[in-house]
Amino acid sequence: MKFLSALLLLALSPTQTVAFAPANNHAVVSAAPSSTSLQMGPPSPKSLLTETYGEGSRKYRRTVYTHNEWVKHRSSDRFIRNISSMINSGVYKSLGGEVFVTTAIATFLVVFNALTGGYTDFDGVQHEAIISSLPQLTLPLTPFTLLSPSLGLLLVFRTNSSYGRWDEARKFWGLNINHTRDLNRMATAWYGNEGDPWDGTEFMGAPSSKAQAIDPAERQYLLGQISLMTWAFVRSMKRHLSPPDEDEEDYIAEMNSRLSPEQAEAIISAVHRPNRALYDLSVAIEKLPMHFLRKDELNKNLSIFEDTLGGCERLLSSPIPLFYSRHTARFLSTWLLLLPFAMYEPFKGSWNHVMEIPAIALASLFLFGIEELATQLEEPFTILPMQGFCDKIGANCDEIVGWRGQGLDE
């Protein structure tokens, strides 16, 4: 019952298929503005038509909400606003061909049955069939009624699976955000802490080393490398998960602008760039003056980064089983293509059954829309604001390593 209720809400409410949710770029703080911080929200009026729907529109769906967007999202006029924006919906524009075909079939059926079964003119006068030798084309409604629950379950499972993939990808990036902060916080707080210099106790069988004087310039450089390599990893991961034609040039420009020429070249020329950036981060951790057990704690975050990277690669390379997606699409297409024949009789109360035409158009739009939503969500990375995440991580890490730490508090 829960699944069927969710399907009904998806089919009847256009609020679920609004193409572009509003968002502001100021939700993401960036230490240095990125050339690939794409606009989030609807495309501008000057945008190409191909950027208002389909693949071209995906870069405008990378929404990041703040309090202002949530207020608008739950405002009482959201239904009117979403209904009025239907003609601008990128999801609906993507379905133009499918909806046109089902509507054309319904139109043909109304005209054909009027010619073969008689029609009523504008004055209300009933006329005999013009082509009496051919029967009217109709189908019983019962098979469609019996199949509706099965189709509903297929669509609900399809959308739930796709949303689960989007949610999993978002959680992976959430782990990246959390553990990059954790890594840089621990590196900053523990810098220069190579043991317990006060009571002279032995730790793990080795005498504790005395605290050394901290060189502020060296500290700034080494912690800066931790921050930079952290950013380089997530930025390389973003590039790894993005289409080459969208991000390659900007990625190279950003790496060259923030890293040294040697570091940038090593990462850019690597076969697997995120792995190379993660290796460089390991090297930067190893250079920190702190006890090896503390370095081990820092390296635990890198293992989590490997897990999030591997999880994202799994989602990118493994779609929902194709036979499931294809069967759902075939079932839905056949059901909707034949539906006009079954809906002819139920609309006998309208003039020449003509109201069947807009009814079929709307039914096709909403039901095809559910399948379109699932398809759009199935590959989550080109609709996640990954560039915003990278900018946010870079800004947070730069701020954290700039704090005064061990030996510099006085």
Side-chain angles (χ1 to χ4, degrees), residues 40 42 49 82 93 102 119 167 189 201 241 280 293 304 308 329 342 348 403:
M40 292 177 289
L49 179 62
N82 290 328
K93 288 179 180 178
T102 56
Y119 64 96
D167 185 56
T201 57
L241 300 171
D280 289 343
L293 287 179
I304 294 174
T308 61
K348 61 184 178 182
W403 295 337

Side-chain angles (χ1 to χ4, degrees), residues 53-69:
Y53 67 94
E55 286 299 313
S57 69
R58 290 180 70 83
K59 61 186 177 182
Y60 297 105
R61 302 180 188 276
R62 299 163 186 172
T63 53
V64 177
Y65 265 34
T66 62
H67 291 292
N68 292 334
E69 281 73 42

